[in-house]
């Protein structure tokens, strides 16, 4: 099993060290692709681990600057102590954002499982009011996201629209893929037309084409939005979009705590699940 997991991890993760992420980002930059680098870590229960996360991000934004890499950063608030206390996560996030802003960079807040949605949004809104160089992921599978998008548009925040990667109850999230996709399409249209900076974070070619059509029909300038994809997924589509003159950013995760991220990538595609089952029972 561990052999199969590390096979998948290699596809989706830059490596265990910061240097691996920087080198991967440089390679992507050479193909005309921008990056957002994530130090893997989540559900931290000890303040010392949260502090280590802050240190890692501080040195990451410095390395990005020093090596002149076209990269911003993404973090999860539970990596910075949200499960210990929202105040700790906010203070830790602010420390990283201050440093990033000082070094002329930008910070994306990832969105985690629904237990953290409210706190993540509220910490984001407070910090975004002080530091406009921040953006947040919104998940189209949640019923609440339409209202959250309305609020974020008013706050003039940059939004990364994703479908959502966590297991959620039908009480709060669309259980059917077609509805998640339909809500993605509706929220994407609202965001693009609102003038909010929109990151269309999907590998779904139908939605990518829809975004291109909305942008061209409504003359939305290409520097008002970008496509974002995950490392290891749809490389040809990434390159094609760059050739067509669109901004493309790839999410580059690295670190030793790669298991939860790898499991999410593995299970969101049924071919991956079949591959694992076949190899276990072979
Ligand atoms: P969909 O699942 O419909 O896939 C479309 C096609 O892409 C598939 O048919 C397949 O070809 C390919 N594909 C998708 N996943 C694949 C995989 N794992 N391996 C191989 N091929 C695959 N989620 C979240 O909850 N919070 C967050 O903060 C983020 N952040 C984030 C950043 C960025 C840049 C991206 C692109 C995505 C996220 N996500 C996320 C993950 C997101 O919610 C979602 O789980 C994945 O993007 C998969 O959904 P798609 O939109 O690609 O569509």
């Amino acid at each position: 099993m561990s052999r199969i997991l590390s096979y998948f991890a290699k596809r989706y993760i830059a490596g265990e060290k910061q240097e691996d992420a920087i080198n991967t980002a440089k390679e992507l930059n050479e193909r005309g692709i921008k990056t957002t680098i994530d130090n893997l870590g989540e559900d931290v229960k000890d303040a010392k681990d949260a502090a280590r996360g802050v240190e890692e991000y501080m040195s990451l934004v410095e390395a990005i600057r020093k090596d002149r890499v076209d990269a911003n950063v993404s973090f999860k608030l539970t990596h910075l102590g949200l499960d210990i206390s929202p105040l700790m996560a906010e203070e830790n996030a602010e420390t990283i954002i201050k440093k990033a802003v000082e070094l002329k960079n930008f910070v994306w807040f990832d969105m985690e499982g629904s237990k953290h949605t409210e706190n993540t949004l509220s910490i984001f809104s407070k910090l975004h009011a002080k530091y406009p160089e921040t953006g947040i992921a919104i998940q189209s599978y949640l019923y609440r996201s339409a209202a959250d998008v309305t609020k974020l548009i008013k706050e003039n925040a940059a939004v990364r629209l994703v479908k959502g990667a966590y297991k959620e109850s039908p009480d709060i999230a669309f259980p059917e893929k077609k509805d998640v996709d339909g809500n993605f399409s509706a929220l994407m249209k609202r965001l693009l037309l609102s003038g909010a900076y929109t990151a269309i974070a999907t590998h779904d070619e139908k939605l990518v084409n829809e975004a291109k059509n909305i942008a061209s029909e409504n003359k939305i300038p290409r520097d008002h939005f970008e496509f974002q994809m995950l490392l290891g997924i749809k490389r040809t589509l990434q390159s094609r979009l760059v050739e067509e003159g669109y901004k493309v950013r790839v999410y580059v995760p690295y670190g030793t705590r790669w298991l939860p991220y790898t499991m999410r990538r593995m299970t969101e595609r049924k071919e991956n699940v079949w591959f694992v089952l076949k190899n276990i029972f072979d």
Side-chain angles (χ1 to χ4, degrees), residues 153-216:
I153 289 173
K154 280 199 197 117
E155 292 172 9
N156 201 21
V159 174
R160 170 204 289 159
L161 189 61
V162 301
K163 291 189 186 177
Y166 298 81
K167 181 117 197 72
E168 300 292 0
S169 137
D171 294 341
I172 59 163
F174 293 104
E176 304 276 339
K177 182 170 168 18
K178 69 171 180 14
D179 297 322
V180 177
D181 294 358
N183 198 36
F184 191 108
S185 162
L187 297 179
M188 174 171 79
K189 189 161 190 194
R190 272 182 54 207
L191 283 162
L192 285 169
L193 295 181
S194 75
Y197 190 82
T198 311
I200 300 138
T202 182
H203 317 92
D204 185 331
E205 299 213 30
K206 189 167 164 273
L207 289 167
V208 167
N209 288 334
E210 212 177 300
K212 293 198 299 196
N213 290 338
I214 297 169
S216 79

Side-chain angles (χ1 to χ4, degrees), residues 44-50 78 80-89:
V44 157
K45 301 284 185 274
D46 180 342
K48 281 198 205 119
D49 288 335
T78 68
L80 305 179
L82 187 60
D83 284 332
I84 304 164
S85 100
L87 184 62
M88 179 188 293

Side-chain angles (χ1 to χ4, degrees), residues 90-202:
E90 181 182 333
E91 287 173 355
N92 284 340
E94 182 160 14
T95 305
I96 297 167
I97 295 167
K98 252 194 202 156
K99 183 77 180 175
V101 170
E102 191 187 302
L103 298 176
K104 312 251 172 307
N105 214 323
F106 187 96
V107 176
W108 284 103
F109 285 52
D110 286 351
M111 187 59 78
E112 302 177 70
S114 57
K115 149 170 134 187
H116 303 295
T117 310
E118 193 57 43
N119 277 331
T120 303
L121 278 160
S122 108
I123 294 172
F124 171 78
S125 289
K126 265 201 244 169
L127 294 177
H128 179 260
K130 286 204 229 171
Y131 309 97
E133 301 88 343
T134 48
I136 187 162
I138 288 290
Q139 299 151 326
S140 74
Y141 63 14
L142 292 184
Y143 303 139
R144 62 172 288 162
S145 290
D148 292 333
V149 160
T150 304
K151 183 165 175 279
L152 291 164
I153 289 173
K154 280 199 197 117
E155 292 172 9
N156 201 21
V159 174
R160 170 204 289 159
L161 189 61
V162 301
K163 291 189 186 177
Y166 298 81
K167 181 117 197 72
E168 300 292 0
S169 137
D171 294 341
I172 59 163
F174 293 104
E176 304 276 339
K177 182 170 168 18
K178 69 171 180 14
D179 297 322
V180 177
D181 294 358
N183 198 36
F184 191 108
S185 162
L187 297 179
M188 174 171 79
K189 189 161 190 194
R190 272 182 54 207
L191 283 162
L192 285 169
L193 295 181
S194 75
Y197 190 82
T198 311
I200 300 138
T202 182

